[in-house]
Amino acid sequence: MQTKPFRIGTRGSPLALAQAHETRDRLAAAHGLSPEMFEIVVLSTAGDRITDRALSEIGGKGLFTQELEDQLLAGGLDFAVHSAKDMPTRLPDGLHLSAFLPREDVRDAFIGRAASRLADLPENATVGSSSLRRQALIRRLRPDLSVITYRGLVETRLRKLAEGQVDGTLLAFAGLKRLGRENVPTELLDPEDFPPAPAQGAICIESRLGDRRVADLLAAIDDRRTHEAVACERQFLARLDGSCRTPIAGHAVSDGERLAFSGMILTPDGATVHRIAIEGAASEAERLGAEAGEAIRAKAGPGFFSSWS
C-alpha cells in the first residue's frame, strides 16, 4: 500500500508544469487517489538555463532531460514527465518510456506580425525558430525569407515577436493548447507541406525498468495508439541518427490495428527533400519505423547527412 506520495519529476517551464499536472490528474482519476498522493518535483535542466545558443551547439536534446534522469536513476523520483519530442532516441541504461498520454494536435502554428500567413510574409521578412526542421521547411517554402535561431519559453518568444525582433515565428500548436493559448496562432500549417517533428504533440512518462509498482500505476493512463505511433516515429529518428543537427519530420497514425507513417528528411537549406511512406500492423510499429528510416537513408544516399552535418 502506497503511503508516501509518488514523486513526479518535471522541468519548471509553464508548459512542462501543465503537462505534469495533466499527468497527475489523470493518474489520480484513474486510480481514485487524491492529487496529494502525487508530489510534483521541479528540476532545472541545462536546456532551460542556456537559452542564447542553438541546441545543436550545446549538446542536443539530452540537455532537457539529464537532471531528471539522474534523479530517476538515483531513486529521487518515481517517474518523470516530458514532451516526447524532447527525448533522445537513446535513453540511459535502466530507464524507458513507459507511458504516453493521448496525443494532442500535431500541427505547427505560425504566429505572424507582418502577415497572418507564412506564404504572405513580405520578401526578406525575418522568421525566428529554434528548430532545424522548421527552419529547413520555411526555407523550402519561402527561400526568400531570413530565418534566424530563436529560443526561449513560449511567452518569451511571443514577447520578442510583439517587440518586432522578428516578423513571425512558429510553435507547436499542442503546447499552445495546453497553455490555454490556442487563440494565438494566425495560421495552422498543413502537415502535408509542413510535417511535424517525430513525437510532436505527445507527452511521455519515463521511469525505471523493472519498477513494477510504477509500471502498474502508469499502465492505467497509457494511450495505446499514441504509444504505437510515437514508437514508430522514434525508431525512424533513431535509424537516421536523429538529433538537433538533422532536419527530420515524421508522423504516424495508429487506429489500434493498422499504422500509417510518413517521413521526410531535408537539407538545412530546404533545397533537397526526400519523403517516405509506409503502413502495416500497428503491433509492428517499431519495425515499420526502422524500415522507413533505412529506406529513406538508402534513397538519400550515403553522402546526404555527411555533406552538411
Side-chain angles (χ1 to χ4, degrees), residues 184-195:
V184 165
T186 57
E187 179 187 18
L188 295 176
L189 298 171
D190 184 346
E192 182 63 27
D193 294 325
F194 215 96

Side-chain angles (χ1 to χ4, degrees), residues 40-107:
I40 293 177
V41 180
V42 177
L43 295 176
S44 172
T45 70
D48 296 311
R49 295 188 295 272
I50 305 171
T51 60
D52 59 345
R53 284 175 282 165
L55 290 178
S56 56
E57 297 176 5
I58 56 175
K61 294 182 178 182
L63 291 168
F64 288 119
T65 62
Q66 184 175 339
E67 287 83 353
L68 293 162
E69 290 171 335
D70 288 347
Q71 282 299 306
L72 268 177
L73 290 169
L77 299 173
D78 291 299
F79 50 93
V81 178
H82 307 278
S83 292
K85 73 173 182 177
D86 288 342
M87 300 303 292
T89 54
R90 296 187 64 178
L91 302 180
D93 290 343
L95 300 179
H96 70 140
L97 301 187
S98 44
F100 292 83
L101 302 192
R103 196 172 201 170
E104 250 295 356
D105 197 312
V106 302
R107 289 176 293 178

Side-chain angles (χ1 to χ4, degrees), residues 56 127 129-149 194 243-249 264-274 303-309:
S56 56
V127 181
S129 174
S130 63
S131 158
L132 284 192
R133 172 190 60 88
R134 289 179 182 140
Q135 291 178 0
L137 287 168
I138 294 166
R139 292 180 178 120
R140 173 175 174 255
L141 296 173
R142 289 290 309 271
D144 59 295
L145 297 178
S146 172
V147 183
I148 65 169
T149 298
F194 215 96
S243 72
C244 291
R245 292 178 294 276
T246 54
I248 298 172
M264 176 190 287
I265 57 175
L266 309 87
T267 48
D269 61 5
T272 303
V273 177
H274 296 283
F304 180 81
F305 291 102
S306 61
S307 62
W308 48 261
S309 59

Side-chain angles (χ1 to χ4, degrees), residues 29 83 106-107 162 168 179 183 191 204 217-218 225 250:
S83 292
V106 302
R107 289 176 293 178
L179 290 170
N183 61 326
C204 68
L217 178 84
L218 298 177
R225 293 182 181 184

